[in-house]
Amino acid sequence: MKDQRNRQFPSKISTTSFVKLYILHLLREKSYYGNEIIEEIKRRLNSKWEPSPGMVYPLLRELEENGYITGWWIEPDKRSIRKYRITDEGFEHYKKIKLLYESIFMDSLDIIKCILKDIYKK
């Protein structure tokens, strides 16, 4: 992967992949519903960025279809709030992609540091 040309600058990981990792990361700590996930990511990133509902809800459906998370309705008759928790299979998947993406995040961080140092003298 190091020798491949990367056209995503400065990040080497797609936003979708990043949000999937973050969703699994949060769900290993406790159960959340979709809007809570969006707000928690926003809070943890100091309100600098937040995923859109249009990204999070399809990812939750995909993760559930793949058996990585399981969901349930808080009030089954209303079907308005669906909470999620990670499954054992999801936790194993989380550990794999966490390890896989670590070097990608570190490379992105190095790129940003070089830019700050070279252009902004910081």
Side-chain angles (χ1 to χ4, degrees):
M1 184 172 231
K2 290 261 182 193
D3 296 326
Q4 291 180 341
R5 191 172 197 180
N6 193 328
R7 296 179 188 268
Q8 292 182 317
F9 180 82
S11 175
K12 295 180 170 186
I13 185 169
S14 73
T15 305
T16 302
S17 296
F18 163 70
V19 173
K20 277 185 198 176
L21 174 66
Y22 222 138
I23 289 172
L24 292 173
H25 176 74
L26 293 175
L27 292 177
R28 73 180 227 312
E29 296 173 349
K30 68 175 204 176
S31 62
Y32 285 94
Y33 58 87
N35 281 338
E36 284 181 315
I37 289 171
I38 293 168
E39 288 301 314
E40 187 63 16
I41 291 174
K42 179 181 177 183
R43 186 187 71 75
R44 291 183 183 210
L45 298 180
N46 298 324
S47 298
K48 303 289 186 192
W49 183 84
E50 66 183 275
S52 70
M55 170 178 276
V56 169
Y57 285 101
L59 289 177
L60 287 169
R61 280 192 293 277
E62 179 187 319
L63 290 166
E64 189 171 15
E65 286 170 6
N66 289 330
Y68 297 144
I69 64 173
T70 187
W72 68 96
W73 297 105
I74 297 293
E75 296 176 86
D77 51 328
K78 291 184 180 177
R79 299 176 61 100
S80 59
I81 299 175
R82 189 165 177 83
K83 291 202 81 155
Y84 298 92
R85 68 175 167 79
I86 196 166
T87 63
D88 290 342
E89 187 178 355
F91 184 67
E92 291 304 312
H93 182 67
Y94 165 75
K95 290 191 302 188
K96 287 179 189 170
I97 62 174
K98 178 182 168 188
L99 184 63
L100 177 70
Y101 294 162
E102 183 178 12
S103 65
I104 295 170
F105 282 118
M106 295 308 292
D107 286 348
S108 295
L109 182 60
D110 284 344
I111 290 169
I112 297 295
K113 284 181 177 178
C114 288
I115 291 168
L116 289 171
K117 182 178 178 186
D118 191 37
I119 296 175
Y120 298 101
K121 311 298 181 204
K122 294 184 178 189

